[in-house]
Amino acid sequence: MGLLDKVERGIEKAVRGVFSTGSKAQVEPVEIASRLRREVDHKALTVAAGRTLVPNVFDVQLSDDDFGRAQEWGTPLAEELCDVVINHVRSQGYILQGPVRISFRRDAGLRAGDFEIASTTEKSQGGAAPQPRPNVPAAPSRQPVRLQPVLDIDGQRYSLNAPSIILGRSSDADIHIEDTGVSRRHLEIRTANGLTSAVDLGSTNGSYVNGQKVSGSTELTDGSTITMGRTKIIFRLLPASPGGHA
């Protein structure tokens, strides 16, 4: 929540002059940010084990007065709100099918201080981008941050850039573990469809994820601790650098 709070404080400070004049009955940016997170949670749809799909396109409907204020600030506000959505999606482990887009629309039926949010899921497609509605400030599409799975072992970091990584004491292992309590081919880390799991390869002393013995396959999440012999390994999901390496 620290990062989201920081974003919200940035929004509030940046647009205080725009949203602090006139009637007290007015929409505050932090209210929109909070409602966007609730909208994401409310529309979350579990499509498979460990995969929850959420909307990526949001239409914020405002009263005439509030729309005028939002229009004065325009795209920068929408961009900050896109970041709020993306950070919330990352923190909850949700899945987006396309870039996040937020626009504002005037609704004469709303009173000052009231607003509504409509959301949809749109797949990322090639070709020309859709034209924005007239007189509606909209944020450029924001791509969700791509996460790179890595392993932290004894002060070293290994990027999991292949669908299968073998850990063990053998010199032929993809990641060599110098530990007498570790078998030659001890553990396999599999990555597919955005999910990473640990598979014990019939090791003598077993493998453990967060203290639980691995039987078959165990899904890994950010911060999972893998124990093999006396060796502890931390699984991380880190934002990928532009070059594609964590």
Side-chain angles (χ1 to χ4, degrees):
M1 291 301 293
L3 179 58
L4 290 177
D5 290 339
K6 181 179 179 182
V7 172
E8 286 185 349
R9 287 197 298 271
I11 296 172
E12 187 174 23
K13 181 179 179 181
V15 298
R16 187 175 294 136
V18 177
F19 280 81
S20 62
T21 58
S23 171
K24 292 183 179 179
Q26 58 191 27
V27 174
E28 296 292 343
V30 291
E31 294 179 278
I32 299 176
S34 179
R35 184 82 67 84
L36 282 167
R37 289 198 299 267
R38 292 203 303 270
E39 178 72 11
V40 168
D41 292 337
H42 179 69
K43 293 291 184 65
L45 176 64
T46 300
V47 294
R51 294 174 61 83
T52 302
L53 182 66
V54 294
N56 60 300
V57 178
F58 302 86
D59 196 14
V60 182
Q61 302 162 26
L62 300 164
S63 68
D64 287 341
D65 289 343
D66 288 318
F67 178 80
R69 297 186 185 97
Q71 199 168 33
E72 287 180 47
W73 191 250
T75 298
L77 173 60
E79 289 178 339
E80 293 284 1
L81 292 172
C82 281
D83 288 338
V84 169
V85 172
I86 291 171
N87 286 323
H88 185 62
V89 167
R90 288 178 55 195
S91 71
Q92 300 301 313
Y94 294 146
I95 296 171
L96 295 167
Q97 286 202 328
V100 174
R101 189 169 71 251
I102 293 176
S103 60
F104 303 105
R105 180 168 63 85
R106 176 188 285 111
D107 187 336
L110 291 173
R111 297 180 301 176
D114 293 339
F115 68 98
E116 300 291 341
I117 294 180
S119 63
T120 58
T121 299
E122 291 186 8
K123 291 184 179 180
S124 179
Q125 297 178 347
Q131 294 299 315
R133 299 186 183 92
N135 302 320
V136 178
S141 297
R142 289 288 187 92
Q143 294 287 349
V145 176
R146 187 173 68 85
L147 299 179
Q148 171 66 47
V150 303
L151 297 178
D152 286 340
I153 309 174
D154 293 334
Q156 296 190 48
R157 175 162 292 168
Y158 300 85
S159 293
L160 302 178
N161 294 319
S164 174
I165 300 290
I166 303 298
L167 288 75
R169 196 158 42 87
S170 170
S171 59
D172 295 331
D174 298 306
I175 298 178
H176 176 70
I177 306 294
E178 191 60 49
D179 182 338
T180 57
V182 171
S183 298
R184 292 178 58 80
R185 289 173 57 88
H186 194 110
L187 186 75
E188 180 183 9
I189 304 295
R190 296 176 182 172
T191 302
N193 300 320
L195 299 177
T196 303
S197 57
V199 180
D200 187 83
L201 299 177
S203 64
T204 301
N205 296 320
S207 305
Y208 298 82
V209 173
N210 298 328
Q212 299 296 315
K213 189 171 184 178
V214 175
S215 178
S217 175
T218 298
E219 184 178 341
L220 300 175
T221 58
D222 187 32
S224 291
T225 299
I226 304 168
T227 304
M228 300 164 50
R230 297 182 303 277
T231 302
K232 288 190 176 180
I233 303 167
I234 306 299
F235 174 78
R236 299 287 188 192
L237 290 171
L238 303 177
S241 65
H245 301 287

